[in-house]
Amino acid sequence: MKLLTEYVEHALTFERLAAEETNPALRKCFEMQAVAYRKLVSERAARYDLPPPSPPPVRARPQASTQPRARVALSKQSADFPGNEACGMAGMSAGSAAP
């Protein structure tokens, strides 16, 4: 059950990052990661005969802010998640520099 909760938390983090991102390519990568985590939650819930997770919330995109945004450091586990290859993030871990 703890793993399902962690997957949902990761999905919510990526959904929030996507909602705040102004770069369309990076926003798409964050959205793809959120979808992948939600898919994992659904598959695991079905495997353990648990109810399916609720759908992601529909949020309006915030206006661009002049305040600097804090970057979220993700664990190596989430950084190596399948799907990172499409966004050029394969093998990246928390604190690693972009190629």
Side-chain angles (χ1 to χ4, degrees), residues 1 6 9 23-24 44 55 68 75 98:
M1 190 63 149
E6 290 174 1
E9 289 172 357
N23 178 325
R44 293 284 173 109
S75 68

Side-chain angles (χ1 to χ4, degrees), residues 62-96:
Q63 296 293 329
S65 173
T66 58
Q67 299 294 323
R69 288 190 338 251
R71 293 288 179 179
V72 174
L74 301 174
S75 68
K76 180 163 177 32
Q77 178 184 5
S78 63
D80 288 337
F81 191 77
N84 284 343
E85 298 84 14
C87 294
M89 299 177 353
M92 291 184 65
S93 61
S96 66

Side-chain angles (χ1 to χ4, degrees), residues 29-63:
C29 288
F30 288 148
E31 290 168 349
M32 289 171 38
Q33 288 296 105
V35 167
Y37 273 111
R38 286 200 176 269
K39 181 178 177 185
L40 273 177
V41 172
S42 295
E43 291 171 354
R44 293 284 173 109
R47 182 183 304 164
Y48 298 113
D49 294 322
L50 297 171
S54 57
V58 177
R59 297 182 186 160
R61 295 196 193 260
Q63 296 293 329

